[in-house]
Amino acid sequence: MGDAKITGEVIGIDLGTTFSCVAVARKGRSVEIIANDQGNRTTPSAVAFSPDAAGFERLLGEAAKNQATLNPRRTIFDVKRLIGKKIRRPRKISAMVLGKMKETAEAYLGKQVTNAVVTVPAYFNDSQRQATKDAGTIAGLNVVRIINEPTAGALAYGVNQDSKRKRTILVFDLGGGTFDVSVLNIDKGEFRVLATGGGDFDQRVMKYFVDLIERKYNKDVTQDPKAIGKLRRECERAKRVLSSQTQARVEIDCFIDGMDFSEPLSRARFEDLNSDLFEKTMEVVRSTLKDAKVENKEQIDEIVLVGGSTRIPMVREMLKKEFDGKEPSEGINPDEAVAYGAAVQGAMLSTDQDELVLYDVTPLSLGISSQGGVMSVVVPRNTVIPAKRSIGRHITVGDQQTSFNVEVYQGERPLVKDCLWLGRFSLDGIAPAPRYV
């Protein structure tokens, strides 16, 4: 794609909603997932500020998560949901998480690390991508590329298999807080994204128990941050248990007002609570296949699962049904696939290797504001990037007009007021003439 080669190793970071992961590709394309100082290959995307004699101590990863129930007001997680919004705090918190991953890599490699590929959900807009890149800069990283999470998952899968063999794969990426689908063609070392789509995936179990507690015990747990923290942690544990068992129990000692709490949660109840969200993931699968111009589901050679939530049995069953009994591939760890693929992309950009080529797409349409505030699309979504496009003739709206401002937007809504404003530029040197010429 014409990228200038980068000297030295480039780490790959999966900056996840609930957990993050870092990897590095060594010579010979051997990829290593790097364990943190606790020996874990994934790190909670959590930051906390704990009071001490000198003021406040900053805690990261497991240290932050482990004290969350005792210090809920100063423990921050799920910040990825807010990055790119008008508030600036999320990028600083994300920078701390990225800094933790940088330190983890440096401790393993025994040297300073500067360059990184960082992943984002495929549906992230320009503001969210730029905010993620800014977070990397704050963390002391040179973010050489932002790539889509399902694309990274496909790279991991393709490298683990035979990247020279021609096939079309669908990557189903369901994490703790985000959801993406991408369709890619792999052929002779080329990874070409055909289409991508997605949205935010919310957890319903928390609301179920909050409502149950209010109804059964007449207590509003939302007013007690410590209780909410305990409940969130137990709900996450129960969700994991239900991936392998049909029954789990949410148990919390001294939960609220000294009351112990113990309630069952069946897999059937969990599936019922999330049924509409699971169905929405299938709708995204269908629309992404349509955008990729895949008319027959039999054209999909492999289904690759990425993200811890793909372990949920219902998700696998629905995917299998959607693809007429086709079993998803099992050859890749869904928790580590994105960081693995990011490390592969880092190696592709470094001086170490150039055997693979990645062609990604723009997740949202790019266009300009035309008369009446209408969004005039110039680069449609799912266009392979880098891309160059020209548009038809435009007319002046004033007599003797010699310049006009071009406003650039991103989004799928018909009016620019409902899309994301990216910037403007001035087109000068227009020959003076009556308006409408």
Side-chain angles (χ1 to χ4, degrees):
M1 290 174 62
D3 290 295
K5 291 296 180 183
I6 296 158
T7 303
E9 288 168 317
V10 182
I11 60 173
I13 301 177
D14 171 13
L15 179 62
T17 306
T18 53
F19 287 90
S20 294
C21 185
V22 61
V24 63
R26 313 307 291 268
K27 289 185 177 180
R29 211 196 288 165
S30 170
V31 177
E32 297 170 23
I33 305 295
I34 303 173
N36 61 24
D37 52 2
Q38 302 296 308
N40 298 319
R41 290 158 72 95
T42 60
T43 301
S45 301
V47 176
F49 299 91
S50 178
D52 66 8
F56 285 96
E57 177 189 11
R58 188 174 72 184
L59 303 173
L60 298 163
E62 278 96 349
K65 186 177 181 180
N66 291 341
Q67 55 82 71
T69 56
L70 300 175
N71 184 30
R73 295 187 185 278
R74 296 191 180 94
T75 304
I76 305 160
F77 48 87
D78 284 5
V79 75
K80 182 175 175 178
R81 297 179 186 274
L82 301 175
I83 198 163
K85 308 295 184 184
K86 291 185 178 179
I87 50 177
R88 297 188 64 84
R89 188 182 183 190
R91 74 183 64 185
K92 293 181 180 178
I93 300 300
S94 293
M96 295 174 192
V97 176
L98 288 171
K100 171 70 174 176
M101 307 318 291
K102 179 178 186 287
E103 292 170 9
T104 297
E106 289 175 337
Y108 174 76
L109 295 171
K111 59 183 178 182
Q112 186 176 5
V113 172
T114 304
N115 299 318
V117 170
V118 181
T119 64
V120 296
Y123 64 84
F124 259 25
N125 63 32
D126 186 74
S127 292
Q128 292 167 306
R129 290 166 191 267
Q130 187 58 53
T132 302
K133 194 167 186 177
D134 292 345
T137 302
I138 296 169
L141 288 167
N142 172 33
V143 180
V144 296
R145 178 70 65 83
I146 295 283
I147 68 168
N148 295 332
E149 289 163 3
T151 303
L155 277 173
Y157 173 80
V159 169
N160 266 336
Q161 304 294 317
D162 179 5
S163 61
K164 302 297 182 183
R165 181 165 60 90
K166 184 176 182 179
R167 61 204 187 279
T168 301
I169 68 173
L170 180 135
V171 183
F172 187 95
D173 180 358
L174 185 61
T178 58
F179 169 62
D180 291 307
V181 175
S182 284
V183 177
L184 298 93
N185 270 345
I186 302 178
D187 185 19
K188 297 178 181 177
E190 280 192 4
F191 290 72
R192 188 177 293 271
V193 181
L194 302 180
T196 191
D200 209 7
F201 180 78
D202 297 318
Q203 185 51 263
R204 300 288 177 85
V205 178
M206 278 285 290
K207 185 178 187 306
Y208 166 72
F209 279 110
V210 167
D211 292 345
L212 182 148
I213 292 162
E214 185 167 4
R215 185 176 65 253
K216 191 171 180 178
Y217 302 100
N218 196 30
K219 293 184 184 296
D220 183 4
V221 71
T222 62
Q223 301 304 309
D224 188 331
K226 286 187 179 180
I228 278 288
K230 291 177 181 178
L231 182 60
R232 179 179 289 107
R233 192 166 184 172
E234 269 299 289
C235 286
E236 181 186 331
R237 186 194 63 79
K239 184 186 76 170
R240 293 175 182 269
V241 168
L242 291 174
S243 291
S244 58
Q245 301 178 29
T246 58
Q247 191 83 9
R249 181 165 285 274
V250 173
E251 293 184 296
I252 308 172
D253 293 336
C254 198
F255 178 42
I256 185 170
D257 296 336
M259 177 192 80
D260 293 337
F261 180 74
S262 178
E263 288 286 342
L265 179 66
S266 67
R267 182 185 289 177
R269 170 67 72 180
F270 175 81
E271 291 172 352
D272 182 60
L273 290 170
N274 292 284
S275 61
D276 62 321
L277 296 178
F278 293 150
E279 178 55 37
K280 284 180 181 176
T281 66
M282 294 304 112
E283 291 173 7
V284 174
V285 167
R286 294 172 201 132
S287 66
T288 306
L289 289 173
K290 184 178 178 181
D291 285 349
K293 296 180 172 58
V294 174
E295 299 176 1
N296 190 331
K297 293 175 186 175
E298 292 182 359
Q299 293 175 247
I300 299 297
D301 299 305
E302 303 280 353
I303 302 168
V304 177
L305 302 181
V306 176
S309 293
T310 57
R311 291 190 175 93
I312 298 170
M314 174 61 84
V315 170
R316 295 181 175 229
E317 289 169 17
M318 292 182 75
L319 263 175
K320 186 176 175 180
K321 183 179 178 182
E322 186 72 23
F323 286 88
D324 302 323
K326 192 177 191 65
E327 293 280 357
S329 298
E330 298 282 355
I332 190 167
N333 185 326
D335 293 322
E336 301 172 358
V338 171
Y340 190 115
V344 172
Q345 170 73 108
M348 291 162 62
L349 296 172
S350 75
T351 56
D352 293 331
Q353 52 193 298
D354 56 3
E355 299 173 14
L356 306 176
V357 181
L358 171 64
Y359 296 95
D360 214 335
V361 296
T362 176
L364 298 166
S365 298
L366 300 167
I368 63 174
S369 175
S370 57
Q371 196 167 9
V374 172
M375 172 70 162
S376 179
V377 174
V378 179
V379 180
R381 70 177 181 184
N382 289 319
T383 297
V384 175
I385 50 177
K388 184 178 181 180
R389 291 286 186 274
S390 59
I391 56 176
R393 291 182 298 173
H394 279 239
I395 60 173
T396 55
V397 294
D399 291 333
Q400 310 303 309
Q401 185 175 340
T402 59
S403 68
F404 64 84
N405 289 327
V406 179
E407 305 280 345
V408 182
Y409 292 85
Q410 182 180 46
E412 307 305 321
R413 305 296 290 274
L415 299 177
V416 294
K417 69 181 181 66
D418 300 316
C419 296
L420 174 71
W421 181 83
L422 297 183
R424 69 166 60 89
F425 65 89
S426 179
L427 185 62
D428 300 312
I430 302 171
R435 62 180 174 174
Y436 304 145
V437 172

